[in-house]
C-alpha cells in the first residue's frame, strides 16, 4: 500500500515507522530481523531501508601498485526490502540515491522493485564519498534528487530511458523526498531550499520525510512555510534520540542541525553516559507527544540498527 494511503486510512491518528540499514557485507539478514522484532508491537505500516554509497580505499601491493578496493559495501537494499516484506507482511520503502548508479542501473532497480510489489520509494541525492570533498555524480547517472525523481515520475507515466520499448507498462510508485527544517547545508538560504522542495512536489513527489531535528518549533515553522508555498503533501518528521554525549558534536557536524541549549546543557550536566541516554529518551518522548498534538501524520525514527531507545519512546507515546 502507498504511504499516502496508510496516512489517509489512519484518519488523523499518528502512525509509527522507522528506518534501518541493510546488513554489512558478510552479515546475515538475522541482524535486520533482530532490529525489527522489538518494534513490531507498535504496528508500523512501513519500514524504510536506507542505502549507503560504497567508498573506496587504495590497497598497496608488494610490487608497489595500488588497487582500488570497495569497502562499506552492503547487500542490495532491494533484497533487504523483499526479505522484510516476506517475513513481516509490511510495506518496505527502499531509498534510491544518485551516487553510485547509472541511469540504466537505476531503471533496472525500479523494475525489480515493481516486480516485487513494492509501492513506495524515497528518492535522495545521497552523500559524497568520504574521499571526495563534494558530491560527484556517477558518469551517466543522476546529479540531483530532482533528476532521480523525474526518472521515477517518467516511469509512472510509462516513459523509460530507451525509446525503442513498445507497450511499456507504467509503474505506480508513491514517491517520497527529503525535507530540511533547518535548511540543506548546501542551500544558500532557506527560501532557496523551499524553491527546490516546491519543484520536487510539483514534479510529482507524494510525501516528505524530514531530516532529524530536536526543536519542534522548527518543524512547525517548516510545515507552515510549506503550506504557505503550496506544498500540501504529508510531511513526516524524522526523529532520533541522543543516546551518548559525543552526539552533541557529531550530529550537528554530520547532519548540519542545531541542538537546543536546554538539551545540550542537560546532556553536559550528566555524570554518566547512562544518564545521557535517559535525558535523550525523555526529551524525545516529550517531542513526540508534542508532534502528535500538532497532528504529525507519522513519527519516523532513525534507529541505526539499535531498536531499544526507539522501543522505549514508542511505549511511552503510542
Amino acid at each position: 500500500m502507498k504511504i499516502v494511503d496508510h496516512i489517509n486510512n489512519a484518519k488523523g491518528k499518528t502512525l509509527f515507522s522507522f528506518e534501518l540499514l541493510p546488513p554489512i557485507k558478510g552479515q546475515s539478514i538475522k541482524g535486520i530481523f533482530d532490529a525489527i522484532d522489538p518494534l513490531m508491537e507498535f504496528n508500523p505500516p512501513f519500514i524504510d531501508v536506507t542505502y549507503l554509497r560504497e567508498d573506496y580505499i587504495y590497497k598497496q601491493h608488494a610490487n608497489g601498485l595500488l588497487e582500488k578496493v570497495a569497502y562499506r559495501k552492503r547487500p542490495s537494499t532491494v533484497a533487504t526490502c523483499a526479505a522484510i516484506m516476506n517475513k513481516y507482511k509490511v510495506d518496505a520503502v527502499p531509498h534510491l540515491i544518485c551516487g553510485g548508479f547509472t541511469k540504466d542501473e537505476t531503471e533496472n532497480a525500479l523494475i525489480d522493485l515493481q516486480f516485487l510489489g513494492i509501492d513506495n520509494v524515497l528518492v535522495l541525492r545521497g552523500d559524497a564519498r568520504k574521499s571526495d570533498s563534494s558530491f560527484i555524480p556517477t558518469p551517466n547517472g543522476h546529479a540531483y534528487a530532482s533528476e532521480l525523481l523525474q526518472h521515477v515520475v517518467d516511469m509512472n507515466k510509462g516513459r523509460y530511458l530507451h525509446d525503442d520499448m513498445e507497450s511499456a507498462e507504467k509503474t505506480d510508485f508513491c514517491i517520497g523526498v527529503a525535507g530540511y527544517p533547518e535548511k540543506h547545508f548546501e542551500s544558500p538560504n532557506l527560501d532557496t531550499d523551499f524553491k527546490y522542495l516546491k519543484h520536487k512536489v510539483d514534479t510529482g513527489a507524494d510525501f516528505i520525510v524530514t531530516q532529524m531535528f530536536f526543536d519542534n518549533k522548527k518543524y512547525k515553522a517548516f510545515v507552515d512555510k510549506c503550506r504557505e508555498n503550496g506544498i500540501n503533501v504529508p510531511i513526516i518528521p524524522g526523529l532520533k534520540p541522543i543516546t551518548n554525549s559525543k552526539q552533541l558534536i557529531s550530529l550537528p557536524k554530520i547532519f548540519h542541525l542545531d541542538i537546543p541549549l536546554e538539551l545540550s546543557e542537560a546532556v553536559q550536566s550528566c555524570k554518566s553516559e547512562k544518564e545521557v541516554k535517559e535525558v535523550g529518551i525523555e526529551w524525545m518522548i516529550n517531542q513526540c507527544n508534542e508532534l502528535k498534538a500538532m497532528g504529525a501524520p507519522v513519527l519516523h525514527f532513525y534507529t541505526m540498527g539499535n531498536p531499544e531507545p526507539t522501543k522505549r519512546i514508542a511505549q511511552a507515546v503510542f
Side-chain angles (χ1 to χ4, degrees), residues 19 35 47 59 97 108 123 141 144 159 172 222 265 292 294 300:
E19 175 181 310
I47 298 170
K59 182 178 180 181
I97 63 173
N108 290 336
V123 299
Y144 302 100
R159 296 198 297 261
D172 189 26
F222 177 76
E265 288 185 340
K292 283 183 68 179
M294 289 180 190
H300 183 70

Side-chain angles (χ1 to χ4, degrees), residues 201-216:
V201 173
D202 289 345
T203 299
D206 298 295
F207 65 96
I208 297 166
V209 181
T210 77
Q211 176 63 278
M212 71 179 74
F213 58 91
F214 294 93
D215 185 346
N216 286 345

Side-chain angles (χ1 to χ4, degrees), residues 114-300:
Q114 181 193 23
F115 285 177
L116 288 168
I118 291 174
D119 296 323
N120 307 278
V121 292
L122 185 67
V123 299
L124 309 161
R125 187 196 69 178
D127 298 326
R129 288 188 298 247
K130 289 184 177 180
S131 57
D132 298 330
S133 59
S134 61
F135 179 83
I136 299 174
T138 298
N140 198 33
H142 296 296
Y144 302 100
S146 57
E147 294 178 356
L148 177 55
L149 168 65
Q150 185 65 63
H151 192 161
V152 184
V153 169
D154 285 344
M155 292 180 66
N156 278 353
K157 295 177 179 179
R159 296 198 297 261
Y160 289 68
L161 287 174
H162 304 293
D163 295 333
D164 57 352
M165 294 182 63
E166 296 182 2
S167 303
E169 182 178 349
K170 296 179 181 179
T171 57
D172 189 26
F173 293 110
C174 180
I175 311 168
V177 295
Y180 298 86
E182 300 178 61
K183 185 182 80 66
H184 190 279
F185 73 100
E186 293 179 349
S187 287
N189 52 66
L190 195 57
D191 287 333
T192 300
D193 211 26
F194 271 97
K195 182 179 74 172
Y196 292 143
L197 183 59
K198 179 70 161 58
H199 172 67
K200 292 177 186 176
V201 173
D202 289 345
T203 299
D206 298 295
F207 65 96
I208 297 166
V209 181
T210 77
Q211 176 63 278
M212 71 179 74
F213 58 91
F214 294 93
D215 185 346
N216 286 345
K217 295 186 184 69
K218 294 185 177 181
Y219 171 77
K220 184 179 186 307
F222 177 76
V223 173
D224 289 345
K225 193 169 179 65
C226 281
R227 303 313 183 214
E228 291 167 6
N229 283 272
I231 300 172
N232 296 309
V233 300
I235 302 173
I236 298 172
L239 303 164
K240 178 186 176 355
I242 285 179
T243 54
N244 64 72
S245 58
K246 293 179 180 178
Q247 290 173 336
L248 287 184
I249 296 174
S250 63
L251 292 181
K253 180 179 180 181
I254 296 171
F255 298 103
H256 308 277
L257 51 81
D258 287 333
I259 294 177
L261 178 62
E262 182 182 353
L263 176 56
S264 64
E265 288 185 340
V267 169
Q268 290 168 337
S269 68
C270 291
K271 296 180 175 60
S272 68
E273 291 300 317
K274 182 178 179 180
E275 284 187 27
V276 170
K277 184 177 180 180
E278 295 304 314
V279 165
I281 289 175
E282 186 62 32
W283 182 277
M284 187 55 61
I285 288 172
N286 291 332
Q287 256 197 274
C288 289
N289 284 326
E290 288 180 3
L291 289 167
K292 283 183 68 179
M294 289 180 190
V298 184
L299 300 182
H300 183 70

Side-chain angles (χ1 to χ4, degrees), residues 25 51-57 68-74 97 99-101 127-132 138:
K25 183 178 180 179
Y51 189 96
L52 285 183
R53 184 178 182 177
E54 66 183 5
D55 272 311
Y56 297 93
I57 57 174
K68 187 178 181 181
V69 179
Y71 76 100
R72 204 179 69 171
K73 178 68 174 175
R74 294 176 183 269
I97 63 173
F101 297 93
D127 298 326
R129 288 188 298 247
K130 289 184 177 180
S131 57
D132 298 330
T138 298

